[in-house]
mmCIF file of all heavy atoms in Angstrom:
data_model
loop_
_atom_site.group_PDB
_atom_site.id
_atom_site.type_symbol
_atom_site.label_atom_id
_atom_site.label_comp_id
_atom_site.label_asym_id
_atom_site.label_seq_id
_atom_site.Cartn_x
_atom_site.Cartn_y
_atom_site.Cartn_z
ATOM 1 N N ILE N 818 3.413 -9.227 -33.913
ATOM 2 C CA ILE N 818 4.791 -9.025 -33.674
ATOM 3 C C ILE N 818 5.415 -10.276 -32.986
ATOM 4 O O ILE N 818 6.516 -10.746 -33.321
ATOM 5 C CB ILE N 818 5.100 -7.704 -32.956
ATOM 6 C CG1 ILE N 818 4.768 -6.617 -33.682
ATOM 7 C CG2 ILE N 818 6.654 -7.740 -32.533
ATOM 8 C CD1 ILE N 818 4.700 -5.226 -32.945
ATOM 9 N N GLN N 819 4.642 -10.726 -31.996
ATOM 10 C CA GLN N 819 5.050 -11.820 -31.162
ATOM 11 C C GLN N 819 4.946 -13.212 -31.828
ATOM 12 O O GLN N 819 5.483 -14.268 -31.441
ATOM 13 C CB GLN N 819 4.333 -11.991 -29.813
ATOM 14 C CG GLN N 819 4.534 -10.844 -28.868
ATOM 15 C CD GLN N 819 5.938 -10.908 -28.321
ATOM 16 O OE1 GLN N 819 6.407 -11.907 -27.843
ATOM 17 N NE2 GLN N 819 6.665 -9.764 -28.442
ATOM 18 N N GLY N 820 4.145 -13.281 -32.920
ATOM 19 C CA GLY N 820 3.920 -14.470 -33.665
ATOM 20 C C GLY N 820 3.005 -15.433 -32.828
ATOM 21 O O GLY N 820 3.268 -16.646 -32.966
ATOM 22 N N LYS N 821 2.053 -14.898 -32.120
ATOM 23 C CA LYS N 821 1.184 -15.755 -31.324
ATOM 24 C C LYS N 821 -0.239 -15.580 -31.752
ATOM 25 O O LYS N 821 -0.713 -14.445 -32.053
ATOM 26 C CB LYS N 821 1.319 -15.354 -29.810
ATOM 27 C CG LYS N 821 2.654 -15.620 -29.208
ATOM 28 C CD LYS N 821 2.654 -15.065 -27.760
ATOM 29 C CE LYS N 821 4.025 -15.213 -27.142
ATOM 30 N NZ LYS N 821 4.081 -14.601 -25.908
ATOM 31 N N SER N 822 -1.021 -16.604 -31.488
ATOM 32 C CA SER N 822 -2.445 -16.449 -31.709
ATOM 33 C C SER N 822 -3.079 -16.048 -30.438
ATOM 34 O O SER N 822 -2.529 -16.027 -29.426
ATOM 35 C CB SER N 822 -3.091 -17.932 -32.048
ATOM 36 O OG SER N 822 -2.979 -18.744 -30.928
ATOM 37 N N GLU N 823 -4.416 -15.548 -30.498
ATOM 38 C CA GLU N 823 -5.033 -15.084 -29.308
ATOM 39 C C GLU N 823 -5.214 -16.266 -28.324
ATOM 40 O O GLU N 823 -5.184 -16.037 -27.138
ATOM 41 C CB GLU N 823 -6.515 -14.543 -29.706
ATOM 42 C CG GLU N 823 -7.027 -13.765 -28.595
ATOM 43 C CD GLU N 823 -8.241 -12.961 -29.079
ATOM 44 O OE1 GLU N 823 -8.364 -12.699 -30.320
ATOM 45 O OE2 GLU N 823 -9.046 -12.575 -28.308
ATOM 46 N N GLU N 824 -5.374 -17.542 -28.919
ATOM 47 C CA GLU N 824 -5.624 -18.765 -27.919
ATOM 48 C C GLU N 824 -4.315 -18.884 -27.181
ATOM 49 O O GLU N 824 -4.326 -19.202 -26.020
ATOM 50 C CB GLU N 824 -6.016 -19.869 -28.813
ATOM 51 C CG GLU N 824 -7.395 -19.881 -29.303
ATOM 52 C CD GLU N 824 -7.491 -18.913 -30.644
ATOM 53 O OE1 GLU N 824 -6.438 -18.660 -31.226
ATOM 54 O OE2 GLU N 824 -8.587 -18.560 -30.881
ATOM 55 N N GLU N 825 -3.075 -18.837 -27.895
ATOM 56 C CA GLU N 825 -1.874 -18.973 -27.269
ATOM 57 C C GLU N 825 -1.631 -17.961 -26.165
ATOM 58 O O GLU N 825 -1.071 -18.186 -25.136
ATOM 59 C CB GLU N 825 -0.681 -18.977 -28.287
ATOM 60 C CG GLU N 825 -0.722 -20.140 -29.193
ATOM 61 C CD GLU N 825 0.232 -20.077 -30.405
ATOM 62 O OE1 GLU N 825 0.473 -18.862 -30.836
ATOM 63 O OE2 GLU N 825 0.809 -21.111 -30.779
ATOM 64 N N PHE N 826 -1.993 -16.730 -26.528
ATOM 65 C CA PHE N 826 -1.812 -15.577 -25.620
ATOM 66 C C PHE N 826 -2.635 -15.814 -24.307
ATOM 67 O O PHE N 826 -2.249 -15.580 -23.256
ATOM 68 C CB PHE N 826 -2.179 -14.259 -26.311
ATOM 69 C CG PHE N 826 -2.262 -13.145 -25.263
ATOM 70 C CD1 PHE N 826 -1.251 -12.529 -24.815
ATOM 71 C CD2 PHE N 826 -3.599 -12.608 -24.964
ATOM 72 C CE1 PHE N 826 -1.258 -11.376 -23.892
ATOM 73 C CE2 PHE N 826 -3.740 -11.561 -24.028
ATOM 74 C CZ PHE N 826 -2.565 -10.923 -23.532
ATOM 75 N N ASP N 827 -3.897 -16.254 -24.507
ATOM 76 C CA ASP N 827 -4.808 -16.601 -23.395
ATOM 77 C C ASP N 827 -4.199 -17.559 -22.458
ATOM 78 O O ASP N 827 -4.282 -17.475 -21.244
ATOM 79 C CB ASP N 827 -6.238 -16.822 -23.884
ATOM 80 C CG ASP N 827 -6.938 -15.692 -24.456
ATOM 81 O OD1 ASP N 827 -6.534 -14.490 -24.137
ATOM 82 O OD2 ASP N 827 -7.970 -15.782 -25.220
ATOM 83 N N ALA N 828 -3.778 -18.684 -23.076
ATOM 84 C CA ALA N 828 -3.191 -19.793 -22.312
ATOM 85 C C ALA N 828 -2.013 -19.356 -21.555
ATOM 86 O O ALA N 828 -1.775 -19.704 -20.347
ATOM 87 C CB ALA N 828 -2.824 -21.000 -23.264
ATOM 88 N N GLU N 829 -1.167 -18.551 -22.248
ATOM 89 C CA GLU N 829 0.100 -18.027 -21.554
ATOM 90 C C GLU N 829 -0.215 -17.152 -20.342
ATOM 91 O O GLU N 829 0.381 -17.217 -19.330
ATOM 92 C CB GLU N 829 0.965 -17.319 -22.620
ATOM 93 C CG GLU N 829 2.290 -16.993 -22.134
ATOM 94 C CD GLU N 829 3.096 -16.298 -23.244
ATOM 95 O OE1 GLU N 829 3.629 -17.013 -24.108
ATOM 96 O OE2 GLU N 829 3.128 -15.038 -23.275
ATOM 97 N N THR N 830 -1.279 -16.226 -20.655
ATOM 98 C CA THR N 830 -1.680 -15.327 -19.612
ATOM 99 C C THR N 830 -2.218 -16.150 -18.399
ATOM 100 O O THR N 830 -1.951 -15.763 -17.205
ATOM 101 C CB THR N 830 -2.688 -14.319 -20.067
ATOM 102 O OG1 THR N 830 -2.154 -13.580 -21.217
ATOM 103 C CG2 THR N 830 -3.018 -13.318 -19.031
ATOM 104 N N LYS N 831 -3.040 -17.099 -18.647
ATOM 105 C CA LYS N 831 -3.570 -17.919 -17.585
ATOM 106 C C LYS N 831 -2.489 -18.651 -16.814
ATOM 107 O O LYS N 831 -2.504 -18.638 -15.514
ATOM 108 C CB LYS N 831 -4.560 -18.977 -18.165
ATOM 109 C CG LYS N 831 -5.267 -19.829 -17.101
ATOM 110 C CD LYS N 831 -6.162 -20.846 -17.694
ATOM 111 C CE LYS N 831 -6.706 -21.698 -16.644
ATOM 112 N NZ LYS N 831 -7.531 -22.916 -17.062
ATOM 113 N N GLU N 832 -1.481 -19.132 -17.457
ATOM 114 C CA GLU N 832 -0.407 -19.843 -16.787
ATOM 115 C C GLU N 832 0.375 -18.920 -15.968
ATOM 116 O O GLU N 832 0.679 -19.211 -14.820
ATOM 117 C CB GLU N 832 0.521 -20.433 -17.884
ATOM 118 C CG GLU N 832 1.655 -21.219 -17.330
ATOM 119 C CD GLU N 832 2.608 -21.874 -18.457
ATOM 120 O OE1 GLU N 832 2.160 -21.900 -19.494
ATOM 121 O OE2 GLU N 832 3.717 -22.183 -18.071
ATOM 122 N N GLN N 833 0.635 -17.731 -16.379
ATOM 123 C CA GLN N 833 1.313 -16.660 -15.633
ATOM 124 C C GLN N 833 0.542 -16.247 -14.451
ATOM 125 O O GLN N 833 1.132 -16.038 -13.319
ATOM 126 C CB GLN N 833 1.699 -15.471 -16.580
ATOM 127 C CG GLN N 833 2.742 -15.671 -17.580
ATOM 128 C CD GLN N 833 2.761 -14.549 -18.591
ATOM 129 O OE1 GLN N 833 1.894 -13.740 -18.676
ATOM 130 N NE2 GLN N 833 3.772 -14.478 -19.453
ATOM 131 N N ALA N 834 -0.761 -16.098 -14.574
ATOM 132 C CA ALA N 834 -1.617 -15.627 -13.509
ATOM 133 C C ALA N 834 -1.676 -16.724 -12.415
ATOM 134 O O ALA N 834 -1.628 -16.422 -11.232
ATOM 135 C CB ALA N 834 -3.019 -15.370 -14.038
ATOM 136 N N GLU N 835 -1.745 -17.968 -12.868
ATOM 137 C CA GLU N 835 -1.705 -19.070 -11.859
ATOM 138 C C GLU N 835 -0.422 -19.113 -11.043
ATOM 139 O O GLU N 835 -0.397 -19.355 -9.851
ATOM 140 C CB GLU N 835 -1.902 -20.391 -12.649
ATOM 141 C CG GLU N 835 -3.260 -20.660 -13.080
ATOM 142 C CD GLU N 835 -3.412 -21.936 -13.822
ATOM 143 O OE1 GLU N 835 -2.395 -22.518 -14.363
ATOM 144 O OE2 GLU N 835 -4.560 -22.412 -14.037
ATOM 145 N N LYS N 836 0.717 -18.922 -11.784
ATOM 146 C CA LYS N 836 2.004 -18.946 -11.067
ATOM 147 C C LYS N 836 2.058 -17.737 -10.205
ATOM 148 O O LYS N 836 2.566 -17.838 -8.999
ATOM 149 C CB LYS N 836 3.089 -18.793 -12.121
ATOM 150 C CG LYS N 836 4.500 -18.850 -11.489
ATOM 151 C CD LYS N 836 5.596 -18.692 -12.443
ATOM 152 C CE LYS N 836 7.012 -18.638 -11.782
ATOM 153 N NZ LYS N 836 8.169 -18.474 -12.716
ATOM 154 N N GLY N 837 1.560 -16.626 -10.487
ATOM 155 C CA GLY N 837 1.521 -15.460 -9.647
ATOM 156 C C GLY N 837 0.857 -15.579 -8.345
ATOM 157 O O GLY N 837 1.170 -15.303 -7.312
ATOM 158 N N ILE N 838 -0.412 -16.202 -8.523
ATOM 159 C CA ILE N 838 -1.254 -16.431 -7.277
ATOM 160 C C ILE N 838 -0.594 -17.491 -6.415
ATOM 161 O O ILE N 838 -0.523 -17.421 -5.144
ATOM 162 C CB ILE N 838 -2.664 -16.910 -7.754
ATOM 163 C CG1 ILE N 838 -3.323 -15.636 -8.472
ATOM 164 C CG2 ILE N 838 -3.427 -17.299 -6.453
ATOM 165 C CD1 ILE N 838 -4.672 -16.125 -9.104
ATOM 166 N N LYS N 839 -0.103 -18.616 -7.063
ATOM 167 C CA LYS N 839 0.619 -19.703 -6.272
ATOM 168 C C LYS N 839 1.831 -19.128 -5.504
ATOM 169 O O LYS N 839 2.002 -19.368 -4.361
ATOM 170 C CB LYS N 839 1.061 -20.728 -7.149
ATOM 171 C CG LYS N 839 0.023 -21.654 -7.711
ATOM 172 C CD LYS N 839 0.623 -22.749 -8.627
ATOM 173 C CE LYS N 839 -0.555 -23.704 -9.157
ATOM 174 N NZ LYS N 839 0.084 -24.738 -10.030
ATOM 175 N N THR N 840 2.620 -18.219 -6.200
ATOM 176 C CA THR N 840 3.741 -17.585 -5.606
ATOM 177 C C THR N 840 3.380 -16.774 -4.318
ATOM 178 O O THR N 840 3.985 -16.856 -3.260
ATOM 179 C CB THR N 840 4.393 -16.625 -6.578
ATOM 180 O OG1 THR N 840 4.950 -17.395 -7.570
ATOM 181 C CG2 THR N 840 5.627 -15.906 -5.975
ATOM 182 N N GLN N 841 2.342 -16.039 -4.454
ATOM 183 C CA GLN N 841 1.801 -15.206 -3.336
ATOM 184 C C GLN N 841 1.362 -16.096 -2.230
ATOM 185 O O GLN N 841 1.709 -15.840 -0.992
ATOM 186 C CB GLN N 841 0.745 -14.261 -3.823
ATOM 187 C CG GLN N 841 0.240 -13.253 -2.828
ATOM 188 C CD GLN N 841 -0.646 -12.157 -3.408
ATOM 189 O OE1 GLN N 841 -0.374 -11.708 -4.478
ATOM 190 N NE2 GLN N 841 -1.571 -11.790 -2.722
ATOM 191 N N PHE N 842 0.491 -17.145 -2.525
ATOM 192 C CA PHE N 842 0.009 -17.968 -1.439
ATOM 193 C C PHE N 842 1.193 -18.621 -0.667
ATOM 194 O O PHE N 842 1.241 -18.648 0.561
ATOM 195 C CB PHE N 842 -0.920 -19.020 -2.014
ATOM 196 C CG PHE N 842 -2.356 -18.514 -2.424
ATOM 197 C CD1 PHE N 842 -3.265 -19.332 -3.023
ATOM 198 C CD2 PHE N 842 -2.626 -17.174 -2.028
ATOM 199 C CE1 PHE N 842 -4.521 -18.883 -3.351
ATOM 200 C CE2 PHE N 842 -3.885 -16.751 -2.452
ATOM 201 C CZ PHE N 842 -4.825 -17.571 -2.996
ATOM 202 N N VAL N 843 2.043 -19.287 -1.410
ATOM 203 C CA VAL N 843 3.184 -20.053 -0.858
ATOM 204 C C VAL N 843 4.087 -19.190 -0.034
ATOM 205 O O VAL N 843 4.452 -19.532 1.163
ATOM 206 C CB VAL N 843 3.954 -20.875 -1.924
ATOM 207 C CG1 VAL N 843 5.161 -21.436 -1.368
ATOM 208 C CG2 VAL N 843 3.061 -21.837 -2.542
ATOM 209 N N LEU N 844 4.528 -18.025 -0.633
ATOM 210 C CA LEU N 844 5.400 -17.219 0.128
ATOM 211 C C LEU N 844 4.848 -16.516 1.285
ATOM 212 O O LEU N 844 5.549 -16.254 2.342
ATOM 213 C CB LEU N 844 6.082 -16.191 -0.798
ATOM 214 C CG LEU N 844 6.958 -16.861 -2.011
ATOM 215 C CD1 LEU N 844 7.598 -15.747 -2.775
ATOM 216 C CD2 LEU N 844 8.063 -17.655 -1.432
ATOM 217 N N ASP N 845 3.588 -16.165 1.210
ATOM 218 C CA ASP N 845 2.826 -15.575 2.393
ATOM 219 C C ASP N 845 2.746 -16.604 3.457
ATOM 220 O O ASP N 845 2.876 -16.268 4.701
ATOM 221 C CB ASP N 845 1.487 -15.117 1.987
ATOM 222 C CG ASP N 845 1.393 -13.803 1.299
ATOM 223 O OD1 ASP N 845 2.423 -13.088 1.326
ATOM 224 O OD2 ASP N 845 0.389 -13.480 0.777
ATOM 225 N N GLU N 846 2.516 -17.813 3.170
ATOM 226 C CA GLU N 846 2.552 -18.962 4.171
ATOM 227 C C GLU N 846 3.946 -19.006 4.880
ATOM 228 O O GLU N 846 4.093 -19.245 6.046
ATOM 229 C CB GLU N 846 2.244 -20.162 3.502
ATOM 230 C CG GLU N 846 1.898 -21.419 4.488
ATOM 231 C CD GLU N 846 0.691 -21.165 5.355
ATOM 232 O OE1 GLU N 846 -0.260 -20.613 4.850
ATOM 233 O OE2 GLU N 846 0.777 -21.517 6.502
ATOM 234 N N LEU N 847 5.003 -18.872 3.990
ATOM 235 C CA LEU N 847 6.351 -18.890 4.574
ATOM 236 C C LEU N 847 6.620 -17.634 5.431
ATOM 237 O O LEU N 847 7.323 -17.885 6.384
ATOM 238 C CB LEU N 847 7.356 -18.917 3.363
ATOM 239 C CG LEU N 847 7.965 -20.300 3.077
ATOM 240 C CD1 LEU N 847 8.790 -20.114 1.826
ATOM 241 C CD2 LEU N 847 8.891 -20.776 4.272
ATOM 242 N N VAL N 848 6.147 -16.520 5.007
ATOM 243 C CA VAL N 848 6.304 -15.364 5.906
ATOM 244 C C VAL N 848 5.762 -15.554 7.264
ATOM 245 O O VAL N 848 6.335 -15.304 8.244
ATOM 246 C CB VAL N 848 5.637 -14.150 5.261
ATOM 247 C CG1 VAL N 848 5.520 -12.963 6.191
ATOM 248 C CG2 VAL N 848 6.345 -13.749 3.871
ATOM 249 N N ASN N 849 4.587 -16.187 7.279
ATOM 250 C CA ASN N 849 3.952 -16.404 8.625
ATOM 251 C C ASN N 849 4.612 -17.502 9.377
ATOM 252 O O ASN N 849 4.912 -17.458 10.674
ATOM 253 C CB ASN N 849 2.502 -16.855 8.389
ATOM 254 C CG ASN N 849 1.617 -15.898 7.860
ATOM 255 O OD1 ASN N 849 1.874 -14.648 8.112
ATOM 256 N ND2 ASN N 849 0.625 -16.214 7.120
ATOM 257 N N LYS N 850 5.093 -18.534 8.659
ATOM 258 C CA LYS N 850 5.792 -19.663 9.264
ATOM 259 C C LYS N 850 7.117 -19.199 9.913
ATOM 260 O O LYS N 850 7.541 -19.521 11.030
ATOM 261 C CB LYS N 850 5.998 -20.831 8.336
ATOM 262 C CG LYS N 850 6.751 -21.964 8.916
ATOM 263 C CD LYS N 850 6.915 -23.116 7.833
ATOM 264 C CE LYS N 850 7.645 -24.350 8.344
ATOM 265 N NZ LYS N 850 7.948 -25.347 7.365
ATOM 266 N N GLU N 851 7.848 -18.337 9.150
ATOM 267 C CA GLU N 851 9.088 -17.814 9.539
ATOM 268 C C GLU N 851 9.145 -16.614 10.389
ATOM 269 O O GLU N 851 10.169 -16.096 10.861
ATOM 270 C CB GLU N 851 10.059 -17.648 8.274
ATOM 271 C CG GLU N 851 10.285 -18.861 7.433
ATOM 272 C CD GLU N 851 11.231 -19.841 8.131
ATOM 273 O OE1 GLU N 851 12.076 -19.450 8.965
ATOM 274 O OE2 GLU N 851 11.048 -21.100 7.819
ATOM 275 N N LYS N 852 7.959 -16.073 10.533
ATOM 276 C CA LYS N 852 7.677 -14.830 11.329
ATOM 277 C C LYS N 852 8.515 -13.688 10.842
ATOM 278 O O LYS N 852 9.369 -12.992 11.586
ATOM 279 C CB LYS N 852 7.900 -15.107 12.770
ATOM 280 C CG LYS N 852 6.930 -16.107 13.433
ATOM 281 C CD LYS N 852 7.160 -16.263 14.871
ATOM 282 C CE LYS N 852 6.123 -17.059 15.638
ATOM 283 N NZ LYS N 852 5.817 -18.423 14.937
ATOM 284 N N LEU N 853 8.443 -13.541 9.425
ATOM 285 C CA LEU N 853 9.258 -12.484 8.975
ATOM 286 C C LEU N 853 8.606 -11.031 8.979
ATOM 287 O O LEU N 853 7.394 -10.989 8.678
ATOM 288 C CB LEU N 853 9.557 -12.792 7.426
ATOM 289 C CG LEU N 853 10.327 -14.162 7.212
ATOM 290 C CD1 LEU N 853 10.366 -14.475 5.613
ATOM 291 C CD2 LEU N 853 11.700 -14.127 7.715
ATOM 292 N N ASN N 854 9.369 -10.131 9.308
ATOM 293 C CA ASN N 854 8.911 -8.747 9.452
ATOM 294 C C ASN N 854 9.668 -7.766 8.498
ATOM 295 O O ASN N 854 10.757 -8.158 7.980
ATOM 296 C CB ASN N 854 9.059 -8.176 10.823
ATOM 297 C CG ASN N 854 8.251 -8.914 11.901
ATOM 298 O OD1 ASN N 854 7.083 -9.088 11.691
ATOM 299 N ND2 ASN N 854 8.823 -9.427 12.893
ATOM 300 N N VAL N 855 9.017 -6.710 8.050
ATOM 301 C CA VAL N 855 9.555 -5.733 7.160
ATOM 302 C C VAL N 855 9.946 -4.424 7.913
ATOM 303 O O VAL N 855 9.084 -3.810 8.475
ATOM 304 C CB VAL N 855 8.663 -5.478 5.934
ATOM 305 C CG1 VAL N 855 9.256 -4.384 5.050
ATOM 306 C CG2 VAL N 855 8.415 -6.731 5.226
ATOM 307 N N SER N 856 11.238 -4.073 7.789
ATOM 308 C CA SER N 856 11.533 -2.777 8.598
ATOM 309 C C SER N 856 11.311 -1.589 7.705
ATOM 310 O O SER N 856 11.130 -1.732 6.386
ATOM 311 C CB SER N 856 12.984 -2.776 8.915
ATOM 312 O OG SER N 856 13.864 -2.720 7.728
ATOM 313 N N GLN N 857 11.298 -0.454 8.188
ATOM 314 C CA GLN N 857 11.039 0.842 7.381
ATOM 315 C C GLN N 857 12.224 1.000 6.484
ATOM 316 O O GLN N 857 11.903 1.373 5.338
ATOM 317 C CB GLN N 857 10.970 1.974 8.401
ATOM 318 C CG GLN N 857 10.668 3.279 7.655
ATOM 319 C CD GLN N 857 9.296 3.310 6.961
ATOM 320 O OE1 GLN N 857 8.262 2.908 7.551
ATOM 321 N NE2 GLN N 857 9.309 3.732 5.698
#
Side-chain angles (χ1 to χ4, degrees):
I818 293 170
Q819 294 289 314
K821 294 176 185 173
S822 67
E823 195 166 339
E824 291 74 19
E825 289 171 329
F826 169 74
D827 287 343
E829 191 177 276
T830 303
K831 182 181 178 183
E832 184 180 340
Q833 291 168 347
E835 286 176 340
K836 182 182 178 182
I838 295 171
K839 286 180 181 179
T840 297
Q841 188 167 321
F842 284 176
V843 170
L844 294 183
D845 279 347
E846 189 67 34
L847 259 174
V848 168
N849 294 330
K850 182 180 177 183
E851 300 290 331
K852 296 181 172 57
L853 300 174
N854 296 310
V855 176
S856 68
Q857 184 60 50

